[in-house]
Amino acid sequence: MALRDARVTLAHGGGGKAMRDLIEEVFTSVFQPPGMEDQARLMSQALCAPGARLAFTTDSFVVDPVEFPGGDIGKIAVCGTVNDLAVGGARPLWLSAAFIVEEGCEVDLLRRIVASMQREAEKAGVRIVTGDTKVVGRGSADKVFVTTSGVGVIPAGRDLAAERVRPGDAVLVNGVLGDHGAAILAARGDMALSTDIVSDCQGLGHLMEAVLAAAPNARACRDATRGGLASALNEIAGVAGVGVEIDEDALPLRDEVKGMCEILGLDPLYLANEGTLVLFVPADEAEAALAAMRALPEGRGAVQVGRALDGPPGRVTMRTLFGGSRIVDMLVGEQLPRIC
Amino acid sequence: MALRDARVTLAHGGGGKAMRDLIEEVFTSVFQPPGMEDQARLMSQALCAPGARLAFTTDSFVVDPVEFPGGDIGKIAVCGTVNDLAVGGARPLWLSAAFIVEEGCEVDLLRRIVASMQREAEKAGVRIVTGDTKVVGRGSADKVFVTTSGVGVIPAGRDLAAERVRPGDAVLVNGVLGDHGAAILAARGDMALSTDIVSDCQGLGHLMEAVLAAAPNARACRDATRGGLASALNEIAGVAGVGVEIDEDALPLRDEVKGMCEILGLDPLYLANEGTLVLFVPADEAEAALAAMRALPEGRGAVQVGRALDGPPGRVTMRTLFGGSRIVDMLVGEQLPRIC
């Protein structure tokens, strides 16, 4: 045990022995990246199959609090990047992890985050192969920020893209909406809310493989994270030039989430999710896609929530419980900062 | 011009319209990433050549100040990641860029950083293909942090690795040492130093290609960043199980850098560089490698600074100007926080 400090100091970011000890003991002993160079060197036959493409994505995570019911910043960093790859049709292979740590951060907190990342990586079948650590002075960051990038392979013949959505397509989700946003809000404590809601934070790679096997003509998919279902639908409708209509009575929402939104004046359509996807499939593949999702724990609550329409292009509307219709616009300001 | 704000607000990170405007106007209009999905989808024949490997690396950048003589956080983020790939023998192809922005950060500062990144990417022949933006409240970050990840291809037959270093190998550098560290130190202003030193921040991809053509048996290479030449040499000596001896009178140091180090009690061997590599080659390829470097602007000051020895394993020593010898250990604490 070379590392005896309970808290991170600026020396741990200085490029010398203290940094090497922190990296070896807290990070590489768990992630076990291949090799000793500053780069991972990787080979996968899948990348070289005719017609295969490489998928590459990145996300920074700044969630506050760092640990919350149902996850922590490490879990969300791995799941978020795995999901960005998966919803695009890629099989996730390798992740990088870069940490910006505030001076004074507890080393044990870093250890818990790293353990959480490794656990999720194993579940998702990916490896964390390279990384970086920087330390900034007290007050120049908030505990720890994590940036993960991911590389995966899109097998030949897969082409999930918003442009492919057509009027008549079914709009599906894999489960309840808004749990992540509600859990973070409650965990911040400043609302004095008492709730049992936990984040839906989970990897969706295996679910996507099952869906694509069952619904081979699936058009497009999004991870409904920041901005929630409403933002994901608006983005797809805009790119595809279709209208999208959802049914209020079909939306899977927990009573606790509905209640919290009512009290706080929030719209659950905009609440963030971290393990919830929205999928557009041709209508005749909707049942098969739903059945494939429901057969897995990540998709047990899968339902159809709406459909793509001929127009107006880019407009998302909701048929309300009372038989009316309202526009579901893109979020204008912020709903919750530092949700992921 | 959808974006009328002069400063970033929390709404710019919220997942809604404000975020889309910021991303479209400041980031994607310059980087022009391929496609509209959350992932870049890429293909390179080079990746599929027999024996080729994929290289993957990441670094977070937190340099303070964000703009300094010779560069800014964007330039350093692109050059740093390009260099991590290049010194491992990879040809850099694609970069991701993730931004953590403090509420109140000037939008014009972001524009300058992005322009700088695009300029360096073009010089290096890489594309910034995917990215992310998060906004945190005032005081939860310091202006802006940038995390770049890079993907490249290592052609068949290239195997630069510290383990390959052998006693007798020549130790080369491509130019003067310590300029980046000295420039940052001066730019912080709290030392009341007046100097003309500018950071050596530059991409080394073209230089590495030239070196590897001239010295095909090159053993190992490192980008001498945080911790400087001393840390890079210690790392290689440790992994290779060789000794390394450098000659004080061969070290390329500007008089201004030497003077600053004397005044401040710093050792230039530990000062950070951002465009300086240390290369181990078989002795009979040293002249060819030096000539190849000197033919390029990035390598005009290339010199041999030392050699690998039979032992003691992992020990780096310096023959001093006065004929003595001293151990050049790894840096123990921090020298300068937030140097990159």
Side-chain angles (χ1 to χ4, degrees):
Chain A
M1 294 285 278
L3 190 76
R4 273 167 299 184
D5 314 84
R7 292 181 181 272
V8 173
T9 66
L10 287 173
H12 289 117
K17 272 183 180 157
M19 185 171 95
R20 193 184 56 189
D21 291 344
L22 177 77
I23 289 175
E24 286 180 0
E25 208 177 299
V26 176
F27 297 107
T28 60
S29 63
V30 178
F31 296 147
Q32 306 204 319
M36 309 285 293
E37 304 297 312
D38 272 347
Q39 57 178 226
R41 294 164 177 184
L42 307 159
M43 196 52 247
S44 165
Q45 290 308 319
L47 274 178
C48 295
R53 287 175 295 167
L54 180 142
F56 184 25
T57 187
T58 194
D59 268 306
S60 286
F61 294 88
V62 297
V63 64
D64 172 36
V66 171
E67 299 180 295
F68 49 82
D72 58 40
I73 196 169
K75 183 177 181 184
I76 209 172
V78 170
C79 291
T81 293
V82 162
N83 292 350
D84 270 355
L85 291 171
V87 300
R91 291 186 180 131
L93 290 171
W94 305 300
L95 261 53
S96 65
F99 298 82
I100 297 173
V101 185
E102 184 189 14
E103 178 189 14
C105 177
E106 285 176 35
V107 172
D108 277 346
L109 171 63
L110 290 183
R111 289 187 205 273
R112 291 196 299 276
I113 291 168
V114 165
S116 175
M117 293 179 79
Q118 181 61 18
R119 201 159 45 232
E120 290 306 315
E122 284 171 13
K123 272 194 219 168
V126 299
R127 283 190 67 190
I128 297 166
V129 294
T130 189
D132 182 55
T133 307
K134 294 290 188 304
V135 181
V136 299
R138 223 175 274 266
S140 293
D142 189 4
K143 294 187 188 72
V144 57
F145 301 147
V146 184
T147 301
T148 39
S149 299
V151 171
V153 59
I154 305 172
R158 280 199 192 166
D159 186 24
L160 289 172
E163 303 88 50
R164 297 184 61 242
V165 168
R166 295 286 170 271
D169 286 351
V171 181
L172 317 179
V173 299
N174 63 312
V176 292
L177 300 169
D179 283 6
H180 179 72
I184 293 294
L185 202 56
R188 287 201 186 142
D190 43 356
M191 304 291 185
L193 292 165
S194 165
T195 163
D196 298 328
I197 301 168
V198 302
S199 167
D200 62 332
C201 181
Q202 59 183 344
L204 296 171
H206 303 304
L207 183 82
M208 278 303 293
E209 286 298 315
V211 163
L212 293 173
N217 296 302
R219 315 282 200 192
C221 190
R222 284 287 185 284
D223 192 11
T225 56
R226 265 188 297 184
L229 180 67
S231 299
L233 292 177
N234 268 281
E235 193 199 332
I236 290 184
V239 173
V242 299
V244 170
E245 180 184 63
I246 56 174
D247 305 315
E248 186 169 14
D249 65 2
L251 295 176
L253 287 167
R254 284 183 212 286
D255 288 339
E256 299 97 304
V257 172
K258 272 194 236 180
M260 187 188 281
C261 284
E262 273 166 27
I263 293 169
L264 300 175
L266 297 171
D267 185 336
L269 289 175
Y270 298 93
L271 276 187
N273 308 278
E274 285 297 334
T276 301
L277 54 77
V278 50
L279 176 74
F280 284 69
V281 295
D284 61 2
E285 290 187 355
E287 276 312 311
L290 287 170
M293 289 200 273
R294 288 175 185 149
L296 292 171
E298 311 92 282
R300 201 163 291 143
V303 287
Q304 176 167 355
V305 296
R307 63 210 63 81
L309 301 177
D310 221 358
R315 175 165 296 178
V316 180
T317 52
M318 181 164 76
R319 292 209 297 203
T320 65
L321 292 175
F322 309 106
S325 176
R326 72 166 174 94
I327 291 178
V328 178
D329 208 347
M330 230 173 138
L331 189 64
V332 174
E334 101 260 32
Q335 194 178 40
L336 282 176
R338 297 184 60 188
I339 198 72
C340 61
Chain B
M1 294 285 276
L3 189 77
R4 274 167 298 185
D5 315 84
R7 291 180 182 272
V8 173
T9 66
L10 287 174
H12 288 118
K17 272 182 179 157
M19 185 172 95
R20 193 185 55 189
D21 291 344
L22 178 78
I23 289 175
E24 286 181 359
E25 208 177 298
V26 177
F27 298 107
T28 61
S29 62
V30 178
F31 295 147
Q32 304 203 323
M36 310 284 293
E37 305 296 314
D38 273 346
Q39 57 177 225
R41 293 164 177 184
L42 308 159
M43 197 53 247
S44 166
Q45 289 309 317
L47 275 179
C48 296
R53 286 174 296 167
L54 181 143
F56 184 25
T57 187
T58 194
D59 268 306
S60 286
F61 295 88
V62 297
V63 64
D64 173 35
V66 170
E67 299 180 295
F68 49 83
D72 58 39
I73 195 169
K75 182 176 182 186
I76 208 173
V78 169
C79 292
T81 293
V82 162
N83 292 350
D84 270 355
L85 291 171
V87 300
R91 290 184 182 135
L93 290 171
W94 303 302
L95 262 52
S96 65
F99 298 82
I100 297 172
V101 185
E102 184 189 13
E103 178 189 15
C105 177
E106 284 176 35
V107 172
D108 278 346
L109 171 62
L110 290 183
R111 289 187 204 273
R112 292 196 299 276
I113 291 169
V114 165
S116 176
M117 294 179 79
Q118 181 60 18
R119 200 159 46 234
E120 290 306 315
E122 284 169 14
K123 272 194 219 167
V126 299
R127 283 191 67 192
I128 296 165
V129 293
T130 190
D132 182 55
T133 308
K134 294 291 188 304
V135 180
V136 299
R138 224 175 272 265
S140 293
D142 189 6
K143 293 186 190 71
V144 56
F145 300 146
V146 184
T147 301
T148 39
S149 299
V151 172
V153 59
I154 306 171
R158 280 200 191 165
D159 186 23
L160 288 172
E163 303 87 54
R164 296 185 61 242
V165 169
R166 294 286 170 271
D169 285 352
V171 181
L172 316 179
V173 299
N174 63 311
V176 291
L177 300 170
D179 283 6
H180 178 72
I184 293 293
L185 201 56
R188 288 203 184 139
D190 43 357
M191 303 290 186
L193 293 165
S194 164
T195 163
D196 298 328
I197 301 169
V198 301
S199 168
D200 63 332
C201 183
Q202 60 183 343
L204 297 171
H206 304 304
L207 183 82
M208 278 303 294
E209 286 297 316
V211 163
L212 292 174
N217 296 303
R219 315 281 201 192
C221 190
R222 285 287 186 282
D223 193 12
T225 56
R226 265 188 297 184
L229 179 68
S231 299
L233 292 177
N234 269 281
E235 193 199 331
I236 289 184
V239 172
V242 300
V244 169
E245 180 184 63
I246 56 175
D247 304 316
E248 187 169 13
D249 65 3
L251 295 177
L253 286 168
R254 286 183 211 286
D255 287 338
E256 299 96 304
V257 173
K258 271 194 236 180
M260 187 188 283
C261 284
E262 272 166 27
I263 293 168
L264 300 174
L266 296 171
D267 184 337
L269 289 176
Y270 298 93
L271 276 186
N273 307 280
E274 285 297 333
T276 301
L277 54 76
V278 50
L279 177 74
F280 285 69
V281 295
D284 60 3
E285 291 187 355
E287 276 312 311
L290 287 170
M293 289 200 274
R294 287 175 186 149
L296 292 171
E298 311 92 281
R300 200 162 291 144
V303 288
Q304 176 167 354
V305 296
R307 64 209 63 82
L309 302 178
D310 221 358
R315 175 166 295 179
V316 180
T317 52
M318 182 163 75
R319 292 209 297 202
T320 65
L321 292 174
F322 308 105
S325 177
R326 73 166 172 93
I327 291 177
V328 178
D329 208 347
M330 229 172 139
L331 188 63
V332 175
E334 101 263 30
Q335 194 178 41
L336 282 175
R338 298 183 59 186
I339 198 73
C340 61

